Amino acid sequence: MAERARVLEVDDVTLRFGGLTALDSVSLHIDEGEILGMIGPNGAGKTTAFNVITGVYQPTSGAVRFEGQPLAGLKKHAITRRGIARTFQNIRLFNSMTALENVLVGADAHHSSGVLSALFRTSKHRREEDDGHERGMELLEFMGLTSRADELAANLSYGDQRRLEIARAMATGPKLLCLDEPAAGFNPQEKVQLMELIKRVRDRGYTVLLIEHDMRLVMGVTDRIVVLEFGKKIAEGTPAEIRDDPAVIAAYLGVDEDAS
Amino acid sequence: MGVVRTYLDRMARRYAALPRPARLALIVLLVIFFYVLPLLRPPIITTEQIDFGGVMFGVAATALVAVGLNIVIGYAGLLDLGYIGFYLVGAYTTGVLTAYHFAWPFFLVLPLAVVVTMATGVLLGWPTLRVRGDYLAIVTLGFGEIIRLIVTNVGWLGAAAGIKDIPHPPNIGPAPKPPFDQGGLFSIPSLQWDGIIPSIDQGRDTRFLIFGALSAVPYYWLILTFLILILFADRLVKDSRVGRAWEATREDEDAAELMGVPTFRFKLLAFALGAAIGGLSGSLYASSQGGYINPQSFPLLLSILFVAAVIVGGAGSRWGAIVGGTLVAYLPERFREFADFRLLVFGLALMILPVYRPQGLLPPRRTIRARVAAKEIDQLEGRDDAQTEVL
């Protein structure tokens, strides 16, 4: 297999909040077109790692590089425009806006028409509106939300809200899509459907970083897995390697103190 | 309240079902009605104890302010308690440039006042918009007071005595030659009502178009024209990338930022545009019939009233802002006989409203819009049974 381009490199990143070390020299990388799973027990630092990647936190030391370029110092919206989009563990849609408008906000990330364009309805404004609507409707269709397009986001069902969040993130036209526990609160069947969806997302050319609790699901869908515990990376490898890794088993099942 | 709402909804639906020319005609009729309202002097709503034209000017000025503040509070979700500061800056810029230190023509100063106020908005917003919510409210509250205290104490700005003899907007037609020739092109009479029987009131002519001491109606016409223009602009901007970015920022600032919205820039833009409209209203107020401003014209209470206008009307809805601004400015004038109690009544109303109608009198009509859009989609997908007339 040809060497695939590295989309994201997290290089020896440490993040401290006062005395608490949330991330401790974590290094990982994501190759183009793969689905990388990030797992670990509660409080392991998965979402914190997400927040460092998307610019919510600046690492205390170490660097995050996206397509070879360092992200340090970039504003969050600038990072999104570079090509990293994310969803949230607890759904954070724009509730008073319709499903389509939510996606349009994402699509607007690459638009630039301002007040004057809007006031005079310039050709640029119209082109960007058309482009946004076209892309938005196409994404809603992909997510199976076409009939909900004009429903307020707050009125959508839980599952639809989760899917809408993914659509909104995809609308920003990212290379790397970071999904933070997209299957949280789903029943087993819905989870399986969602994993199928994530595979289809990848097949459309997105690289996916996936946080998920459910080991069995992650095994089925990811190409590689990184395991975090207490802010440290304790294992990395293919799903099969991870399954048999004693450190991972210990982290998830605990270690019998008598035996150790 | 619910009855009114249902009735309004039904009206809106019926209106949306009309053919385009009919709807245009209706709008034109409504606009004409508002232009001639101070001349019609309909019973009950006309204020008898105080010049009705002047009251209508005040109402339109407040509605204009409310529309501007609605951009800041309603669209972008920034609680600005110092909006009176921008009103003041607009008024004082006009006062200084047309009367106090210079004598520049009105229609040159008006856009200048808007630009100066906009710059003030950016200047204030740059440091303060980094704080959120309650903190922003406190900072802006302070700003409103600081500006008022500055003009009270700076001699170059007239200090406590204020600025008088601010020129009125230029007349159209021959200038008046007192004592008998009132000038202007022609005369428009007013009506008077005996019960429900109208008759021409010869004693209340309005000369077209003289901005003088005799009739306040031309001032009202001028500000109403600006109000209508601003409403169109407001609609165009709201229904674009800018409006969406504001709404997303209001709903969840962090999520908006992570979806690629430069939230700070858009908050600053909302602040600047809101300020500009406040400045426009202030500028028109300064050159209105009184032609006199002093620091006492811009008390903190007025700032709170502006916020109340937006909230009462329904934050985020431009028609709500107009209704709110109208109520806040009109009711105290109409019920002058209860002058001692009007603030009490107003306060009670403000307490009752959040209990029974927390979203305001006319909240944004998202549902109707969503319905129209649904039809549009049906059409785009070529479903022929969809109604053809949607916009």
Side-chain angles (χ1 to χ4, degrees):
Chain A
M1 201 174 79
E3 182 71 17
R4 284 194 288 192
R6 291 200 167 171
V7 173
L8 184 86
E9 288 167 287
V10 174
D11 189 6
D12 197 24
V13 163
T14 299
L15 178 69
R16 286 199 194 87
F17 297 112
L20 176 83
T21 307
L23 291 176
D24 191 355
S25 348
V26 172
S27 295
L28 55 92
H29 66 93
I30 306 173
D31 293 329
E32 191 166 355
E34 76 171 344
I35 301 180
L36 179 73
M38 193 187 276
I39 62 172
N42 278 327
K46 301 179 301 268
T47 300
T48 310
F50 252 49
N51 283 336
V52 168
I53 291 169
T54 52
V56 176
Y57 302 142
Q58 293 293 331
T60 314
S61 69
V64 180
R65 281 187 297 274
F66 180 66
E67 298 185 305
Q69 303 287 318
L71 293 180
L74 278 184
K75 290 245 169 62
K76 285 171 271 181
H77 60 84
I79 292 178
T80 306
R81 270 202 294 279
R82 280 278 185 93
I84 302 180
R86 68 172 288 178
T87 65
F88 299 89
Q89 188 172 352
N90 41 350
I91 301 173
R92 293 176 79 170
L93 289 166
F94 308 125
N95 279 326
S96 73
M97 305 171 81
T98 66
L100 177 61
E101 283 172 331
N102 268 274
V103 181
L104 283 177
V105 170
D108 281 338
H110 293 283
H111 294 162
S112 60
S113 54
V115 173
L116 291 179
S117 294
L119 268 183
F120 298 107
R121 288 295 190 246
T122 57
S123 61
K124 179 178 165 194
H125 166 87
R126 268 176 285 142
R127 192 175 60 242
E128 292 188 347
E129 289 288 300
D130 290 349
D131 164 66
H133 275 82
E134 199 176 307
R135 197 130 58 96
M137 286 313 291
E138 198 261 326
L139 280 169
L140 288 179
E141 196 187 333
F142 176 69
M143 289 288 159
L145 293 168
T146 309
S147 61
R148 311 252 79 130
D150 292 293
E151 201 76 60
L152 292 187
N155 296 346
L156 294 179
S157 70
Y158 182 78
D160 284 348
Q161 291 191 348
R162 283 265 176 223
R163 275 187 289 277
L164 179 57
E165 261 214 324
I166 300 176
R168 183 180 65 176
M170 286 168 75
T172 65
K175 283 232 168 50
L176 175 66
L177 188 61
C178 303
L179 305 176
D180 195 348
E181 297 201 29
F186 278 13
N187 66 33
Q189 196 206 342
E190 285 172 326
K191 281 189 179 182
V192 171
Q193 285 172 352
L194 185 77
M195 292 305 146
E196 285 309 311
L197 184 72
I198 290 172
K199 277 186 187 164
R200 281 195 284 133
V201 168
R202 191 261 315 265
D203 294 342
R204 286 171 68 117
Y206 297 90
T207 305
V208 179
L209 172 58
L210 174 70
I211 291 184
E212 183 49 61
H213 260 310
D214 192 320
M215 284 280 261
R216 210 158 41 92
L217 274 173
V218 177
M219 298 288 162
V221 72
T222 52
D223 299 310
R224 280 190 310 124
I225 294 177
V226 168
V227 188
L228 295 181
E229 191 195 16
F230 299 125
K232 286 200 180 92
K233 185 172 83 172
I234 59 167
E236 181 178 356
T238 63
E241 289 165 7
I242 293 298
R243 189 168 17 213
D244 300 327
D245 193 309
V248 179
I249 296 170
Y252 264 80
L253 300 178
V255 185
D256 192 341
E257 282 191 8
D258 295 338
S260 60
Chain B
M1 223 61 230
V3 184
V4 178
R5 182 77 186 155
T6 331
Y7 183 70
L8 281 175
D9 274 348
R10 199 181 306 149
M11 286 219 316
R13 264 202 303 277
R14 227 178 260 173
Y15 167 77
L18 287 173
R20 198 181 172 85
R23 272 179 296 155
L24 256 170
L26 257 180
I27 290 178
V28 170
L29 271 179
L30 197 70
V31 167
I32 291 176
F33 171 76
F34 276 107
Y35 269 100
V36 298
L37 189 59
L39 301 177
L40 290 178
R41 304 177 60 81
I44 300 175
I45 60 170
T46 302
T47 50
E48 297 298 346
Q49 298 174 0
I50 177 169
D51 178 38
F52 188 46
V55 170
M56 290 303 291
F57 174 84
V59 165
T62 313
L64 185 56
V65 167
V67 169
L69 189 56
N70 180 48
I71 294 178
V72 184
I73 295 182
Y75 295 167
L78 308 164
L79 185 52
D80 181 356
L81 294 182
Y83 198 66
I84 189 77
F86 301 129
Y87 194 59
L88 185 152
V89 169
Y92 266 82
T93 309
T94 308
V96 166
L97 290 182
T98 59
Y100 205 58
H101 288 292
F102 306 92
W104 295 2
F106 173 77
F107 277 108
L108 172 70
V109 170
L110 188 68
L112 261 177
V114 170
V115 169
V116 168
T117 321
M118 198 182 228
T120 315
V122 172
L123 220 61
L124 170 75
W126 190 258
T128 57
L129 285 175
R130 289 155 213 273
V131 299
R132 295 184 188 180
D134 305 350
Y135 301 101
L136 180 67
I138 292 167
V139 174
T140 50
L141 187 72
F143 164 76
E145 278 298 276
I146 288 168
I147 285 228
R148 190 176 60 83
L149 288 174
I150 287 177
V151 296
T152 312
N153 289 292
V154 172
W156 194 78
L157 294 170
I163 298 174
K164 59 180 170 35
D165 297 331
I166 299 170
H168 302 148
N171 301 323
I172 296 175
K177 293 187 204 72
F180 299 114
D181 184 358
Q182 292 179 23
L185 298 174
F186 52 87
S187 226
I188 307 173
S190 298
L191 294 184
Q192 61 185 355
W193 298 76
D194 182 15
I196 54 161
I197 303 145
S199 58
I200 301 286
D201 183 351
Q202 294 294 356
R204 275 187 215 275
D205 281 3
T206 299
R207 296 292 298 177
F208 188 89
L209 189 62
I210 299 296
F211 293 94
L214 283 178
S215 172
V217 177
Y219 302 94
Y220 166 71
W221 284 338
L222 183 68
I223 201 166
L224 183 63
T225 309
F226 277 110
L227 178 60
I228 291 169
L229 289 178
I230 293 292
L231 275 176
F232 273 112
D234 181 82
R235 191 193 165 113
L236 288 172
V237 172
K238 178 76 204 313
D239 185 20
S240 78
R241 167 170 178 259
V242 178
R244 282 193 297 272
W246 282 337
E247 202 165 357
T249 308
R250 184 190 71 202
E251 287 298 301
D252 189 330
E253 196 169 329
D254 298 316
E257 182 84 20
L258 284 163
M259 289 306 131
V261 179
T263 51
F264 180 72
R265 209 181 308 160
F266 276 104
K267 286 197 292 185
L268 200 57
L269 178 68
F271 225 63
L273 288 183
I277 296 175
L280 172 68
S281 190
S283 178
L284 291 169
Y285 167 75
S287 55
S288 70
Q289 206 170 18
Y292 170 63
I293 50 173
N294 70 1
Q296 276 80 55
S297 324
F298 306 94
L300 183 63
L301 181 68
L302 203 53
S303 215
I304 306 296
L305 275 185
F306 291 159
V307 175
V310 174
I311 305 294
V312 165
S317 147
R318 66 181 73 86
W319 298 112
I322 296 221
V323 169
T326 304
L327 289 180
V328 162
Y330 172 76
L331 290 183
E333 299 297 347
R334 176 66 185 80
F335 298 105
R336 280 222 154 202
E337 51 269 47
F338 310 113
D340 291 346
F341 297 101
R342 59 186 179 172
L343 279 178
L344 177 70
V345 172
F346 189 65
L348 278 176
L350 279 187
M351 282 164 69
I352 293 168
L353 187 85
V355 174
Y356 290 100
R357 201 167 169 75
Q359 70 275 48
L361 295 175
L362 276 183
R365 297 183 164 275
R366 314 259 349 172
T367 45
I368 288 183
R369 236 213 46 220
R371 233 180 282 141
V372 169
K375 276 188 202 160
E376 249 175 6
I377 290 160
D378 281 352
Q379 263 191 330
L380 288 175
E381 291 181 349
R383 270 173 239 159
D384 293 330
D385 53 341
Q387 230 177 313
T388 39
E389 187 65 37
V390 287
L391 261 173

